[in-house]
Amino acid sequence: MGINLLPVRYGHYEGHTDICFSDDGDKLLSCGADGEVRIWNGFDDDDPLQNCIGEFALCIKHKGEHIFVGTNTNLVQQLTYPNGDRNGILTRFTAHVNHMYISEAHNWIALASEDMTVKVMEISTKETKTFTINGPPLSVSLCKNLKNLAVSCGDGKLKIFNIEDQSLIKEISVVAKANSFENAKELCRIDFDQKYNKYFAYPDGNKISILNISDWNEAFTLSTDAIDSNYSLVCFSPCGNYVAASTLDGNIAVWLLRSQTIVGFEKQSDIAITSLAWNPKGNGELAFADAQGNVGMATNCTETGADEDDGDIPDEEGAIEEQNYESENIDFGDVQIEAEDDDEDNENAVSLEKLKKEIMGPLEPELEAIEAAASRSPSPRARSVTPEIPLQPAFMPSSTPEHLDPRYMCYNEVGIIRCYGCNLDDDDDGTRSIEVEFHDSQIHSSMMIRNYKGYTMGSISTAALAVANNTVIHVVPLGSSSEEWHLVLEDDEEIVCIAASHNLICLATANYFVHVSTIFGIQKAVISVPGPILTMSAIGMVLIIAYHSTSTRKGDQCVETMLVKFEGTTIENRDMKVALKPGSKLQWLGFTDVGTPAMMDSTGMVYLHPLQCNLWIPFCDTKKHHKSPSDGFFMTAIYESLGTIRGIRCKGSLYPGFTPRPTLTEIEFQPPFLEIGTGKSQYESSLFTMSTLQIEGMEKKYQEIALKSFALAMKNNLEKRAVEFMEMLGNPQLLNLAVKYASKFDKRRLVEKLMDVASKIDADADPPTFNGSSVSTPSTNVIKPNKKLLLESTSKILNKSKSQVSTPTQGTPSSSMINNTPSTSIISTPGNITLSDISILQDEPKNPFLKSLKKTQTSAFNPLSLTDKFAGIEKENDSVKSEKRKQPDSSPSEKNKEKQRKLDRFMFSKRN
C-alpha cells in the first residue's frame, strides 16, 4: 500500500502558504503571500471563494462560524464561514502572527506572534493568558485537556508550559536557531494527540520523536531509511492512530502508531512543505501546501478500517461495545415489538394483503411486474434547502469599512475625511480624532476635530462638513464655521448613512426615513423610503437613494433607487430600477460633475443614468485595468465633462492604505462593446459615448470619428453599411463631407445613394440631432444639403482627386482639418485610412449659400451620369484656351528668349 499523491495546483503567490480543513471536512481554507484567503469547495474546485485581507497572511484556522487569519497588520482577522466576509478582529499584537492552533476538544486558541509573545485565548469570552519567550515563535500547540502549551522558538528551544500557573515543564534543544520567522529554515511544527491525550510529537532531525505526556519521557521514535533529510512538520490524524510528517525537500511520510511502521511515503517535489492538515472526516486525505504557493492533496494515507478504534484504548472500546449491546436489548415493558413475519402465523392479526388475495384473487402478471418495480424504487430524497443570502448592509460611498483603523470616512472630489482610533474603547476617546483635508485650499483650510462622540460616518461638500454616529449628526458650514449645529435622533431611530451637497444635508434612519435639512440647519422635509436604505448621495438640490426593494433572489441583490429633487418647498420624485450584474453588490453611488446619476457594482462595472435615456448604461469596466485579479479600484469621482473616472488603484485589496499616500488615477470611458480591440468597435464605442453623455468640446472629435467610421466602411467596399451609418447619424454637415470623400475615391454609386439620403433629410423641416442636449451642432455650422450644388462641386473634385490619388503631394497635412481647425484623433486610425484622406475635403471652403461676386457658368450636363460618355470630363474654358502670356515691351535677353521658347513648347503640347 502507498500514498496516492494528486497533482498540485496553483493557490497563492510564491511564499509561505498555510492550509486547513473546515470542521466538517467539506471545504479547504488557504492563505498565502498575496494576502488572499481562499475557500475551496473541495480540492477540485476551479473557482474558490476569495477575499483579500492584506499584503500577506501567514496562518489560517477554522472554528464553528468563524475563520481566523493572521495578517500583516499585526492582528488576527475574523471572517464569517462559509462566505468569508470580514467580521471583526479577535486580538492584536505588536508584530505579525506566525502560527495559530485550535483544538476540536475546546474553544481555546493559541496564537504565536513575532513580538515573542504567545496568547492562549478563549474565543467567545476573549479570556487571555500571555506567555513571553526569548525568541520568535515558530509553532504552537495545545493539548486536549487544556493543561499544557508547547512552543518551538527561534532561540533553538522547544518549551512546554503549564497553562494554569504558566510554569515551564520541559525544555528541549531541538530547533534550528533563527532570528525571525521569515529566515527560519525549519518551522518545527509540533502537535499533541487530540484523540487519546497520550502522546506529543515533534521533529528531531531525520526522525520524529514521540513523548509520553504523563512523564514527558520519550516513548519511541519514527523514521525510515528511505528519507535522510530533516523533518520540519508533524501532525496527528483525527483518529489518533497515524502521524504524518514532511521534510524540507518535499517528502511526505505517514506512520501507524501502534506498530510504529511506515504506511507510505511520497516525494512531492524539491520544494519545502509549509503546512499539513488531515481531513476531519477520517477518510485518509492529507492536504498540504508548499513554499511556491501550491496546494496539494494526498489520498489513501490510512489503512482500510484502521481509523476505527481497534484496541489502542481497550477501556473506551469495551465501554462502547457494552453500550451498543445494552441498546439492542432494551426492555419496553408490556409493549413488545415483533417482526412483520409473525403476522402470517398469528390468527388474530388482520392483514390487508390477505384480504386482497382472498377477495380479488392473484394479481395479473403485468400488475405484479409494476408492483415489484415500485417496491424496488428508491425512496424520494429530501429537497435541498436554499441557503438564505443576507441583504447587503448600509454603507457610505467612497469610504472604507468601519473595522479598519485608521480609515477613510469620505474621499471625494472635494476633499478627504480621515478617522483615527475609531476602534478604541470609550475610555481612550482622547486619542480618537478626525482630520479633514480639502483638495482646493481656497474652499477651506484643513481641519482637525476631536472625535469624542465616536463619529463613524462623514460627508463633505463645497459648502458643509457633516459627521455622524448612530444617534447624532454634526454639521459645520464652511462659509461660517461659527454656526455649527447638530441634530439628535429619538431613541427608536438610528442613523445608517448621511449625505451632504452644496445645498442639502440628508440623513437616513433604520426606520426607512430620510430627513432633509439646509446647510444652516433648517429642516426642509422628511420622506419615507419603501425598503431598507442601502446608501445615498446628493448634489445641489437633488438626492439619490438606493434601497432594497425585496429580499435577495437567487443570490442577486434587488436594489432600486429614488431620484428626489427639493426645489424650494416642492418635492419631485423619479423611480429608477438598478441593473447589477448577477451575484454582485452595490459598491458606489453618486453623481457625475454635470449631475448624471452614476454607480459601480462589486465587479468593477461603472453605470451612468442619462436622464434623457432613463436607462442605466454600462460605460466602463474597471477590472480590465487591473494588473492582478486581486486588485481593486476605489472610486472617488466621475468627470462626465472630461469622459474619465477618477479613483485609486488598490494592489491586492479593495481599499487604499494610508502610507504611502495613495495616488489618484483616471480611466477613460469605454462601453463594453463586442470586439473592442478592433478599430471599428472603438469608433462605435466612442460615438456612442459622445452622443449619450455631456462631454465638453466633443463636436469636432465627433465629426472626425464619424468620418473615420464612414471611410473604414467605404474602403472595405461595404457601401450599404456606409450609407446606413450616415443615415443613422442624420447630420447634414457630416453628409456633405461624406459625399466629398466618396467623390474623391470615385465612388459614384455611393454618391448617388448619399444624395438620396440628403434628399430625405432636406425634406424634413427639422433635421434630427444626435441627442437631446450634448451632441447638437451649432446652427451656424449646419449646411443644408442642396443636390444641385453638390453635383456642381463633385465635378470639380473628380479630376482633382484622380491626380491626388495617383501622385500624392509632398505637403499633405498629417492631422485632420475639420471646420478649418486642427484636431488630434482620440483613437488610432486603422488600416490604410490616413488623416490626409479626410483633410482633402477642406479644399473647397466655399459656402454654397453665399452669393459670389462673379457668377460662374454651371455645367449643362451631369458629371455623375451613368449614360453620358463624357461624364466626369471637365470642359476647358474659352477664355483659358485663348489666353497667352504677354511679351515684355523691351527687347528680351537671350535668357528670356530661351524661357519663352520652352513656354511655347509646353503650351503647344498641352493644346494638342
Side-chain angles (χ1 to χ4, degrees):
M1 171 191 161
I3 299 176
N4 182 21
L5 203 62
L6 301 180
V8 297
R9 59 186 308 167
Y10 172 79
H12 300 272
Y13 289 169
E14 181 180 357
H16 181 83
T17 308
D18 196 21
I19 193 169
C20 70
F21 277 96
S22 59
D23 290 346
D24 54 8
D26 293 334
K27 299 181 183 296
L28 273 172
L29 290 77
S30 65
C31 65
D34 52 4
E36 287 190 354
V37 173
R38 298 192 175 184
I39 303 175
W40 310 74
N41 190 13
F43 182 70
D44 297 331
D45 187 10
D46 293 331
D47 188 16
L49 182 66
Q50 56 187 11
N51 184 10
C52 185
I53 61 172
E55 293 184 3
F56 62 86
L58 296 179
C59 50
I60 184 171
K61 292 295 179 183
H62 172 244
K63 183 70 174 180
E65 298 179 353
H66 299 285
I67 301 173
F68 304 98
V69 187
T71 67
N72 64 296
T73 54
N74 307 339
L75 51 85
V76 178
Q77 182 73 54
Q78 285 187 165
L79 306 178
T80 60
Y81 178 82
N83 296 328
D85 299 329
R86 297 179 188 244
N87 192 25
I89 298 171
L90 180 64
T91 185
R92 297 176 182 272
F93 290 89
T94 58
H96 56 77
V97 179
N98 296 336
H99 187 236
M100 63 178 65
Y101 188 90
I102 299 178
S103 174
E104 298 179 0
H106 46 72
N107 201 34
W108 289 72
I109 182 174
L111 305 167
S113 174
E114 186 74 7
D115 58 2
M116 294 184 290
T117 60
V118 176
K119 291 183 180 180
V120 180
M121 178 182 293
E122 211 283 336
I123 296 177
S124 57
T125 62
K126 295 189 177 181
E127 178 186 352
T128 307
K129 294 184 177 180
T130 305
F131 296 81
T132 303
I133 54 180
N134 298 326
L138 305 178
S139 177
V140 66
S141 182
L142 288 172
C143 67
K144 180 180 179 180
N145 56 9
L146 202 64
K147 290 184 178 180
N148 302 315
L149 169 70
V151 183
S152 59
C153 308
D155 60 353
K157 303 292 184 180
L158 171 60
K159 301 179 181 181
I160 302 175
F161 296 90
N162 187 311
I163 297 179
E164 185 176 357
D165 55 7
Q166 298 187 4
S167 61
L168 182 63
I169 299 176
K170 189 176 181 63
E171 187 176 77
I172 307 172
S173 299
V174 69
V175 186
K177 292 186 178 181
N179 58 358
S180 66
F181 180 81
E182 290 81 3
N183 297 330
K185 185 178 180 181
E186 300 178 7
L187 297 180
C188 192
R189 290 289 164 88
I190 53 183
D191 196 14
F192 279 95
D193 171 22
Q194 298 295 326
K195 178 67 175 178
Y196 307 119
N197 196 29
K198 186 177 180 181
Y199 297 117
F200 171 73
Y202 64 91
D204 185 7
N206 61 351
K207 64 181 180 179
I208 303 296
S209 296
I210 307 296
L211 301 184
N212 198 330
I213 295 180
S214 59
D215 54 6
W216 298 108
N217 293 326
E218 185 176 295
F220 51 88
T221 60
L222 302 175
S223 62
T224 177
D225 296 336
I227 300 176
D228 55 358
S229 57
N230 291 341
Y231 291 96
S232 178
L233 311 178
V234 63
C235 182
F236 277 97
S237 65
C239 65
N241 296 328
Y242 295 90
V243 172
S246 64
T247 63
L248 297 175
D249 56 358
N251 287 302
I252 298 176
V254 178
W255 288 272
L256 182 62
L257 274 182
R258 68 171 181 266
S259 61
Q260 303 176 21
T261 58
I262 188 167
V263 176
F265 65 92
E266 202 65 47
K267 186 177 180 62
Q268 185 264 334
S269 65
D270 294 332
I271 305 172
I273 305 295
T274 58
S275 179
L276 285 176
W278 286 91
N279 194 324
K281 291 182 177 181
N283 55 4
E285 290 183 350
L286 180 66
F288 63 89
D290 59 22
Q292 292 290 341
N294 298 320
V295 176
M297 179 73 71
T299 60
N300 199 24
C301 295
T302 59
E303 297 178 355
T304 304
D307 285 356
E308 303 174 359
D309 296 338
D310 52 4
D312 269 349
I313 308 295
D315 296 338
E316 295 183 4
E317 183 180 7
I320 294 173
E321 290 182 357
E322 184 179 357
Q323 182 180 359
N324 293 336
Y325 175 78
E326 291 178 356
S327 63
E328 294 176 359
N329 295 275
I330 299 176
D331 185 10
F332 293 95
D334 296 336
V335 181
Q336 295 295 331
I337 300 176
E338 298 179 354
E340 296 181 358
D341 296 340
D342 295 340
D343 291 342
E344 298 291 339
D345 301 330
N346 191 356
E347 297 179 356
N348 296 326
V350 178
S351 176
L352 184 60
E353 295 297 331
K354 285 183 177 181
L355 295 176
K356 286 183 179 180
K357 291 179 180 180
E358 291 176 359
I359 298 173
M360 301 179 61
L363 296 176
E364 297 179 359
E366 294 82 359
L367 296 178
E368 289 181 355
I370 295 174
E371 186 177 1
S375 63
R376 294 192 302 267
S377 62
S379 59
R381 292 178 296 180
R383 294 182 59 186
S384 59
V385 180
T386 304
E388 183 180 357
I389 299 176
L391 296 176
Q392 180 182 358
F395 68 95
M396 291 288 297
S398 298
S399 66
T400 56
E402 294 183 9
H403 65 269
L404 299 179
D405 189 13
R407 59 181 288 260
Y408 292 102
M409 298 175 64
C410 184
Y411 200 135
N412 58 16
E413 69 278 5
V414 178
I416 309 171
I417 305 177
R418 300 182 181 92
C419 181
Y420 299 92
C422 54
N423 293 327
L424 297 178
D425 298 333
D426 296 337
D427 299 336
D428 300 333
D429 56 353
T431 59
R432 294 186 298 187
S433 62
I434 296 175
E435 180 186 1
V436 184
E437 176 185 349
F438 294 87
H439 300 313
D440 188 359
S441 59
Q442 296 181 357
I443 298 176
H444 200 279
S445 58
S446 300
M447 295 186 294
M448 183 68 72
I449 304 174
R450 283 188 59 189
N451 190 13
Y452 62 93
K453 289 189 177 181
Y455 297 125
T456 57
M457 292 169 280
S459 182
I460 187 172
S461 67
T462 56
L465 165 69
V467 291
N469 55 20
N470 295 336
T471 57
V472 180
I473 181 172
H474 185 81
V475 181
V476 181
L478 300 180
S480 177
S481 59
S482 61
E483 299 185 14
E484 301 180 7
W485 57 274
H486 66 274
L487 289 175
V488 181
L489 271 67
E490 299 179 357
D491 295 338
D492 59 341
E493 289 187 323
E494 180 182 355
I495 300 177
V496 294
C497 60
I498 63 175
S501 70
H502 188 74
N503 305 100
L504 301 176
I505 300 293
C506 309
L507 64 94
T509 66
N511 294 341
Y512 307 167
F513 289 166
V514 176
H515 299 266
V516 183
S517 305
T518 61
I519 296 298
F520 292 96
I522 301 175
Q523 297 191 47
K524 193 178 183 69
V526 57
I527 60 176
S528 179
V529 179
I533 298 175
L534 182 57
T535 186
M536 63 182 184
S537 181
I539 182 173
M541 304 296 291
V542 182
L543 173 68
I544 185 171
I545 308 168
Y547 62 93
H548 294 281
S549 58
T550 60
S551 59
T552 56
R553 182 178 63 250
K554 295 182 179 181
D556 297 338
Q557 301 286 337
C558 300
V559 181
E560 294 187 7
T561 56
M562 296 172 55
L563 194 64
V564 188
K565 183 178 182 181
F566 302 91
E567 188 68 34
T569 58
T570 62
I571 302 176
E572 299 178 5
N573 177 45
R574 181 177 185 178
D575 293 331
M576 302 182 299
K577 295 185 180 295
V578 176
L580 297 175
K581 281 188 176 182
S584 63
K585 297 180 180 180
L586 186 63
Q587 190 169 338
W588 186 87
L589 182 70
F591 294 90
T592 64
D593 57 338
V594 298
T596 302
M599 68 175 182
M600 184 177 74
D601 60 16
S602 57
T603 63
M605 183 63 70
V606 179
Y607 304 84
L608 270 67
H609 191 286
L611 298 181
Q612 69 271 14
C613 300
N614 197 22
L615 289 171
W616 286 102
I617 303 174
F619 274 99
C620 183
D621 187 3
T622 59
K623 286 286 186 182
K624 294 184 178 180
H625 299 270
H626 295 170
K627 296 182 179 180
S628 173
S630 61
D631 295 348
F633 186 79
F634 185 77
M635 176 86 72
T636 59
I638 299 180
Y639 294 93
E640 183 180 350
S641 58
L642 303 177
T644 58
I645 300 170
R646 182 171 295 180
I648 302 172
R649 293 180 179 177
C650 307
K651 182 179 180 181
S653 175
L654 295 177
Y655 307 105
F658 267 60
T659 54
R661 183 184 179 93
T663 304
L664 291 173
T665 59
E666 290 188 352
I667 300 176
E668 293 185 355
F669 288 157
Q670 190 176 58
F673 276 37
L674 299 179
E675 298 181 353
I676 196 62
T678 62
K680 170 182 173 294
S681 298
Q682 291 179 5
Y683 293 159
E684 295 167 350
S685 174
S686 300
L687 290 175
F688 174 74
T689 302
M690 293 179 182
S691 60
T692 307
L693 302 181
Q694 304 179 30
I695 303 177
E696 295 179 353
M698 44 66 60
E699 289 82 5
K700 297 178 182 178
K701 293 182 179 180
Y702 187 92
Q703 293 177 0
E704 181 180 347
I705 296 177
L707 287 178
K708 287 181 180 180
S709 300
F710 173 80
L712 180 62
M714 188 191 70
K715 288 206 170 183
N716 291 332
N717 295 325
L718 301 174
E719 295 185 358
K720 290 186 177 181
R721 177 185 292 181
V723 174
E724 182 185 35
F725 178 74
M726 299 308 299
E727 187 177 1
M728 178 185 69
L729 297 181
N731 183 266
Q733 185 177 8
L734 290 177
L735 189 59
N736 287 333
L737 295 175
V739 170
K740 293 182 179 181
Y741 190 78
S743 302
K744 168 183 174 293
F745 288 92
D746 198 14
K747 300 286 186 179
R748 300 182 181 182
R749 291 185 179 274
L750 179 59
V751 171
E752 289 184 356
K753 293 178 182 178
L754 293 176
M755 291 301 170
D756 296 337
V757 176
S759 301
K760 294 179 182 179
I761 297 177
D762 194 18
D764 297 335
D766 297 326
T769 58
F770 303 129
N771 72 334
S773 59
S774 61
V775 199
S776 58
T777 308
S779 57
T780 56
N781 296 331
V782 175
I783 303 174
K784 294 186 177 181
N786 190 307
K787 193 170 184 179
K788 182 177 179 181
L789 293 176
L790 286 174
L791 291 175
E792 293 177 357
S793 61
T794 304
S795 63
K796 298 180 180 179
I797 295 176
L798 285 174
N799 290 333
K800 183 186 297 184
S801 63
K802 291 180 181 179
S803 60
Q804 292 182 358
V805 170
S806 60
T807 57
T809 59
Q810 298 294 330
T812 303
S814 60
S815 61
S816 64
M817 302 291 291
I818 300 179
N819 293 335
N820 294 330
T821 304
S823 62
T824 59
S825 174
I826 61 175
I827 300 177
S828 60
T829 308
N832 57 354
I833 301 175
T834 60
L835 297 180
S836 61
D837 297 338
I838 301 176
S839 63
I840 195 174
L841 303 180
Q842 304 302 322
D843 291 338
E844 296 291 332
K846 296 181 180 179
N847 190 340
F849 291 95
L850 298 178
K851 295 182 179 180
S852 59
L853 297 177
K854 295 182 180 180
K855 295 184 178 181
T856 59
Q857 296 181 359
T858 59
S859 302
F861 61 94
N862 187 357
L864 300 178
S865 175
L866 300 178
T867 58
D868 190 0
K869 64 180 180 179
F870 298 101
I873 301 177
E874 185 177 2
K875 292 186 178 181
E876 191 175 12
N877 199 332
D878 294 339
S879 61
V880 178
K881 188 181 300 183
S882 59
E883 182 181 358
K884 293 184 179 179
R885 184 182 294 270
K886 184 182 293 185
Q887 300 295 330
D889 295 337
S890 59
S891 58
S893 61
E894 293 295 327
K895 187 175 182 180
N896 292 335
K897 289 181 180 180
E898 183 67 19
K899 288 184 178 180
Q900 186 64 32
R901 285 195 296 270
K902 292 181 179 180
L903 180 61
D904 292 339
R905 287 198 302 271
F906 171 76
M907 293 179 62
F908 178 78
S909 61
K910 186 176 182 182
R911 286 195 295 269
N912 292 337

